């Protein structure tokens, strides 16, 4: 067996063991990733500990590679994730997220509710985790369905499509932020590219949701249940009652609600644009660093939205929000450990050479890795992290820019939402979609449709960007 074959065998066995451990045993994804990194390194020929050679040089051992990969990945990503979820908690509890939702719906106009909810989901998922946002906006979707007479299924699926896109494509959400970090991509460039590539995907998704809403016509009932019947055009009403819906709630203004999100994005993008133009302004470079920009956004959220709340209440909101990030950070760091083992051991070079022989466009290699991980493990964030850790070792081996490789990882992670995806069950449960056939037509189908649009975009971009 050649050395390169042995290295690839180590990687293959490591990933297979990880998938089996996560899907068939009680072992957590974090531990499974660490075991996968160890198996990959050992079979790949790495020494277990650092070895100092006679000429004074040091060969990095497996333990060091795991530690360094974990630390370097979380060095900046961990801070961004922590600040992002704290901001999201403030937006949720203060009513700012709901204010943005109502405002988007009114701005888009009557008979375009699917577009309004899709845009709302797209925007809200930047600071708020997608699964949480589904729960937060379920009452809004049900209220709009009652007011308009439109199918709750079509409305809620449009919102979920928007949530899924920015959750997987636009920093500071964990997946794309990690991909950018691992592949050495500027976060501002990732925001721009992720945003632009998500727009055609969202457009196609909304058209599908509008069509599906007539095929699966289901509306909420006054007793909290759901009524399903055959669709008729006469069921559709106007949106004139939306103003009264808004008037019943004491929500913050739109400007102060959007400021915590918009200000950091402006700072990050301004720094990126000036950098591309070769202009250096030190104060803007400082403020445009993602961790500083997100810190500013979080402060704006605290003092703009909850200035009159008790200190303990505000701190409690942020504490509750941050509790959910611990395991995300551990998984993210473990993905970095696996990636560093692949890099240090030389497996990355062997993998790149093997991938070059595949009869596929190089841009689709990160996509395929992420898609397979999403199918196997269910989590989009874990899929992106794993794909990025493997793809990092391909930089310079395949003729694809790191930016497009990062985006390809993210698009691949969108591709397959089904039974092992927590968001799949959250959405079905919240909106009363109980039949297996309907579940597949909704969340599974919309994720595949968006991924297919993304593949076309990646192939086009790969022709013009290198």
């Amino acid at each position: 067996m050649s050395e390169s074959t042995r290295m690839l065998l180590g990687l293959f066995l490591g990933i297979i063991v990880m998938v089996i451990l996560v899907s068939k045993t009680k072992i957590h994804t974090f531990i499974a990733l660490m075991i996968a990194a160890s198996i990959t390194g050992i079979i790949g020929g790495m020494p277990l500990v650092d070895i100092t050679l006679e000429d004074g040089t040091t060969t990095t051992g497996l333990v060091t590679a795991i530690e360094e990969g974990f630390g370097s990945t979380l060095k900046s990503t961990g801070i961004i994730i922590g600040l992002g979820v704290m901001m999201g908690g403030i937006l949720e509890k203060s009513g700012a997220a709901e204010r943005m939702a109502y405002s988007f719906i009114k701005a888009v106009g009557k008979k375009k509710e699917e577009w309004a909810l899709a845009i709302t989901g797209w925007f809200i998922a930047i600071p708020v985790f997608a699964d949480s946002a589904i729960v937060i906006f379920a009452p809004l979707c049900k209220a709009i369905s009652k007011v308009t007479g439109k199918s709750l299924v079509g409305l809620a699926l449009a919102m979920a499509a928007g949530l899924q896109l920015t959750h997987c494509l636009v920093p500071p959400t964990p997946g794309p932020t990690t991909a950018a970090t691992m592949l050495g991509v500027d976060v501002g460039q990732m925001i721009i590219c992720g945003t632009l590539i998500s727009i055609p995907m969202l457009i196609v998704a909304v058209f599908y949701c509008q069509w599906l809403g007539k095929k699966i016509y289901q509306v909420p009932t006054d007793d909290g249940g759901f009524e399903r019947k055959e669709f008729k055009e006469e069921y559709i009403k106007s949106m004139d009652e939306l103003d009264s819906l808004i008037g019943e709630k004491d929500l913050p203004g739109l400007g102060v609600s959007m400021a915590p999100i918009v200000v950091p994005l402006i700072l990050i993008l301004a720094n990126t644009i000036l950098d591309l133009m070769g202009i250096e302004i030190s104060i803007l470079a400082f403020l445009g660093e993602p961790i500083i920009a997100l810190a500013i956004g979080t402060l704006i959220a605290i003092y703009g939205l909850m200035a009159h709340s008790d200190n303990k209440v505000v701190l409690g909101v942020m504490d509750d929000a941050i509790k959910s990030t611990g395991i995300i950070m551990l998984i993210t760091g473990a993905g970095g450990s696996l990636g560093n083992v692949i890099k240090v051991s030389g497996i990355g070079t062997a993998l790149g050479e093997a991938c070059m022989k595949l009869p596929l466009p190089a841009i689709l290699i990160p996509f395929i890795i992420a898609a397979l991980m999403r199918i196997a493990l269910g989590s989009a964030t874990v899929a992106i992290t794993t794909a990025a850790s493997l793809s990092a070792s391909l930089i310079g081996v395949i003729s694809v820019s790191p930016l497009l490789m990062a985006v390809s990882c993210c698009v691949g992670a969108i591709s397959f939402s089904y039974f092992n995806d927590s968001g799949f069950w959250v959405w079905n449960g919240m909106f009363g979609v109980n039949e297996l056939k309907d579940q597949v037509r909704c969340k599974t189908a919309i994720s595949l449709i968006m991924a297919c649009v993304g593949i076309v975009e990646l192939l086009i971009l790969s022709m013009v960007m290198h």
Side-chain angles (χ1 to χ4, degrees):
M1 181 185 297
S2 67
E3 185 177 2
S4 61
T5 301
R6 177 173 52 78
M7 288 180 174
L8 294 176
L9 177 62
L11 176 60
F12 177 76
L13 291 176
I15 292 177
I16 290 297
V17 168
M18 177 185 68
V19 171
I20 293 173
L21 290 176
V22 172
S23 59
K24 301 295 183 181
T25 74
K26 297 178 182 179
I27 295 176
H28 197 277
T29 303
F30 166 67
I31 301 174
L33 276 166
M34 300 299 287
I35 292 173
S38 300
I39 292 173
T40 301
I42 292 170
I43 298 179
M46 290 187 71
L48 299 181
V49 295
D50 295 352
I51 297 176
T52 302
L53 303 177
E54 293 181 359
D55 59 1
T57 59
T58 301
T59 300
T60 301
L62 176 59
V63 174
T64 300
I66 290 174
E67 292 174 343
E68 291 179 348
F70 189 95
S72 63
T73 301
L74 289 183
K75 183 169 58 178
S76 58
T77 305
I79 298 173
I80 292 173
I81 293 172
L83 290 169
V85 298
M86 284 193 285
M87 182 202 301
I90 297 292
L91 292 175
E92 174 189 344
K93 297 299 182 182
S94 66
E98 195 169 352
R99 164 60 69 187
M100 285 186 280
Y102 282 129
S103 299
F104 284 143
I105 291 165
K106 285 192 66 178
V108 172
K110 298 176 183 177
K111 297 185 178 180
K112 299 177 182 176
E113 295 81 14
E114 291 90 352
W115 291 101
L117 284 168
I119 295 170
T120 298
W122 185 96
F123 197 77
I124 293 300
I126 295 174
V128 180
F129 283 114
D131 289 1
S132 301
I134 289 173
V135 177
I136 294 167
F137 292 112
L140 175 62
C141 291
K142 293 175 183 178
I144 293 173
S145 179
K146 283 185 177 181
V147 169
T148 64
K150 285 194 170 184
S151 172
L152 176 62
V153 171
L155 294 169
L157 190 61
M159 179 196 66
L163 289 169
Q164 190 172 8
L165 284 174
T166 43
H167 178 73
C168 291
L169 283 167
V170 182
T173 53
T177 302
T178 300
T181 302
M182 287 185 169
L183 295 168
V185 175
D186 178 80
V187 173
Q189 292 184 21
M190 190 69 183
I191 291 174
I192 294 172
C193 194
T195 298
L196 293 177
I197 202 170
S198 71
I199 293 172
M201 299 165 75
L202 187 64
I203 291 171
V204 174
V206 171
F207 282 125
Y208 176 77
C209 293
Q210 290 176 326
W211 173 82
L212 189 66
K214 296 178 180 180
K215 299 298 179 181
I216 306 177
Y217 185 78
Q218 183 166 290
V219 293
T221 57
D222 292 334
D223 63 359
F226 304 93
E227 179 187 7
R228 181 167 175 176
K229 50 190 175 181
E230 187 176 347
F231 172 77
K232 295 180 181 179
E233 287 289 348
E234 62 195 53
Y235 295 152
I236 306 301
K237 308 170 188 175
S238 71
M239 278 286 283
D240 292 336
E241 297 177 57
L242 184 58
D243 286 334
S244 63
L245 265 177
I246 299 174
E248 294 174 1
K249 299 191 175 185
D250 182 23
L251 300 176
L254 179 61
V256 71
S257 297
M258 293 182 64
I261 300 173
V262 172
V263 171
L265 289 178
I266 290 174
L267 291 172
I268 293 170
L269 293 178
N271 181 39
T272 299
I273 292 169
L274 289 176
D275 186 55
L276 291 174
M277 295 171 62
I279 301 173
E280 184 176 346
I281 302 175
S282 57
I283 183 63
L284 189 56
F286 172 73
L287 296 176
E289 283 292 324
I291 58 174
I292 303 300
L294 262 292
I296 292 171
T298 305
L299 290 174
I300 292 173
I302 293 170
Y303 290 101
L305 296 169
M306 301 192 77
H308 303 296
S309 299
D310 185 77
N311 288 356
K312 291 184 178 179
V313 172
V314 179
L315 292 172
V317 168
M318 290 187 285
D319 285 344
D320 289 341
I322 203 71
K323 287 176 184 176
S324 64
T325 65
I327 195 59
I328 293 174
M329 291 187 185
L330 284 175
I331 292 172
T332 299
S337 296
L338 174 59
N340 198 48
V341 167
I342 293 168
K343 178 181 177 181
V344 172
S345 66
I347 295 174
T349 302
L351 178 64
E353 292 173 353
C355 288
M356 289 295 290
K357 298 176 182 178
L358 293 176
L360 293 170
I363 186 63
L364 296 185
I365 293 172
F367 174 94
I368 292 171
I369 296 172
L372 292 174
M373 289 297 102
R374 180 68 190 274
I375 291 170
L377 305 176
S379 168
T381 301
V382 175
I384 293 171
T385 300
T386 305
S389 67
L390 297 177
S391 299
S393 59
L394 302 180
I395 294 177
V397 180
I398 60 176
S399 57
V400 178
S401 72
L403 175 59
L404 284 187
M405 290 175 70
V407 173
S408 183
C409 292
C410 296
V411 173
I414 292 171
S415 60
F416 211 85
S417 174
Y418 77 127
F419 313 115
N420 60 354
D421 175 15
S422 62
F424 177 88
W425 296 113
V426 170
W427 188 88
N428 289 326
M430 293 300 300
F431 302 111
V433 181
N434 300 318
E435 296 293 329
L436 176 60
K437 179 179 70 174
D438 294 336
Q439 292 172 348
V440 172
R441 292 169 75 190
C442 292
K443 281 287 285 176
T444 304
I446 198 72
S447 62
L448 289 171
I449 289 168
M450 292 190 296
C452 288
V453 175
I455 287 175
V456 175
E457 293 182 89
L458 287 170
L459 291 171
I460 294 172
L461 287 173
S462 67
M463 297 177 187
V464 296
M465 293 176 61
H466 298 285

